Amino acid sequence: MAETGMAPTEKAPYTLNRATGDLADGAAKLAQEIGSTGVEALLAQANRTAARRGAAGALGSMKPRPAEWYAFDAKDQDTADWYPQGLTCGEESGSIGVPVFVASWYFKPEAGERGIRVSFLSPRTLKYQHALLVAAKPDGSYAPINIHAGGIALDGDLLYVADTFKGLRVFDLNNLLDLRTAQNDLGDPTRIGRHRGKFHAFGYRYVIPQTDFWKLAQPGPHFSFVSIDRSGGTPQLITGEYWEDDPGGRVAHWDLAFSGGEPNEVFVMGHPKIQGAISHGGKWYLSQAANATTNGKLLVYADQKLQTRPFPIGPEDLTVQDGKLWSVTEFRNKRVIFGVGL
């Protein structure tokens, strides 16, 4: 199949239905027992430090370099267990009161599944903190969520997480839970959930339970990444799919506040290996990957005219903050959050 550019296609396959089940009840019980905190409070005591313009190997041959970038610390650079995927920010949320980036990571080993986590990073202080995303149960316990988490987006306090084969999982940041408010320590770093009256989260201090789920009515489309466009009149949620060697991957536009059903419009992107997409100011921006040693590309469509721009190695999901387009890179020792001009 040849590369074609952005072309409209049918919407019906993307129909999403709400499937809350007992997720909200489980999250509410957990929040009542542990107690919630806020993003600003989390950032105030964040336990890791990013390096401004560090891990420059992530940029490869990119010229000009990004306007700004922040590298995760040495431990997060080197781990072969966790890989960054999704990216969102406070400006995308529209309601978080401080500048912040939020990046999602998935746990790669097949054994000892630890699910997915998010990192809250302050571009002001360079401090950041991980939080584990979990599925709460009505009995007050919780479990890891084994998905790729290839993209995330914030609308108000609602964090949308792409679930490749099912749709969109939703996490409410009002349920950002600090285990230190419920007990003196962080429990057993090898366990997850409630055991003998104590909470455990593989050593993480913060957990965020899932509160809602939007599931595909029929299997077929993939939900590989997600973003938000606030540049027009009605904010739009964007979902899209990654295809390795096929340019037939699609992106969809949905009105916010999100209510499921069919999207407003769906386009075939016409390029393979798209890891993130966002519309902004009448343009489409597509993040195209290559491999662990080769620079990716930023594909920009304006009035169906394509411009190809340089991008780092391993670019993923996209978001907009402070008039810049931001992404995150995934490969070991090349893990940065970076911003370029729109």
Side-chain angles (χ1 to χ4, degrees), residues 1-168:
M1 183 175 180
E3 296 187 359
T4 58
M6 307 290 289
T9 189
E10 59 182 328
K11 300 182 292 185
Y14 266 86
T15 300
L16 290 173
N17 296 325
R18 198 168 202 165
T20 308
D22 58 16
L23 289 168
D25 293 338
K29 181 174 178 59
L30 200 60
Q32 183 177 25
E33 294 198 39
I34 295 176
S36 61
T37 187
V39 173
E40 293 186 52
L42 176 148
L43 290 174
Q45 65 75 54
N47 64 352
R48 293 179 180 269
T49 304
R52 183 170 180 262
R53 302 201 167 190
L59 308 184
S61 62
M62 181 180 175
K63 292 182 180 179
R65 289 190 164 196
E68 186 62 279
W69 71 92
Y70 310 103
F72 294 102
D73 72 10
K75 185 176 180 180
D76 286 331
Q77 291 289 343
D78 191 52
T79 179
D81 291 343
W82 292 95
Y83 283 76
Q85 295 292 299
L87 187 69
T88 183
C89 62
E91 189 170 307
E92 187 171 276
S93 159
S95 67
I96 294 178
V98 293
V100 63
F101 291 104
V102 187
S104 66
W105 307 61
Y106 78 98
F107 190 74
K108 191 169 186 177
E110 293 183 4
E113 178 58 56
R114 297 197 171 193
I116 52 176
R117 70 185 187 188
V118 290
S119 303
F120 294 86
L121 184 150
S122 168
R124 288 179 176 171
T125 66
L126 300 185
K127 295 291 187 179
Y128 71 97
Q129 176 85 40
H130 298 315
L132 197 66
L133 303 185
V134 298
K137 303 174 183 179
D139 66 0
S141 189
Y142 49 94
I145 299 171
N146 182 17
I147 62 173
H148 194 69
I152 58 176
L154 269 170
D155 180 38
D157 294 315
L158 298 182
L159 177 69
Y160 290 89
V161 178
D163 183 323
T164 308
F165 302 107
K166 294 182 179 179
L168 293 170

Side-chain angles (χ1 to χ4, degrees), residues 37 41 46 57 64 75 82 98 100 114-115 123 162 166 186 195-196 200-201 205 224 245 291 303 316 318 320 326 337:
T37 187
K75 185 176 180 180
W82 292 95
V98 293
V100 63
R114 297 197 171 193
K166 294 182 179 179
L186 300 182
H195 299 277
R196 297 182 179 178
H200 309 268
R205 175 172 175 174
S224 305
D245 297 310
N291 55 46
D303 298 324
E316 292 284 327
L318 298 174
V320 171
W326 295 84
I337 294 172

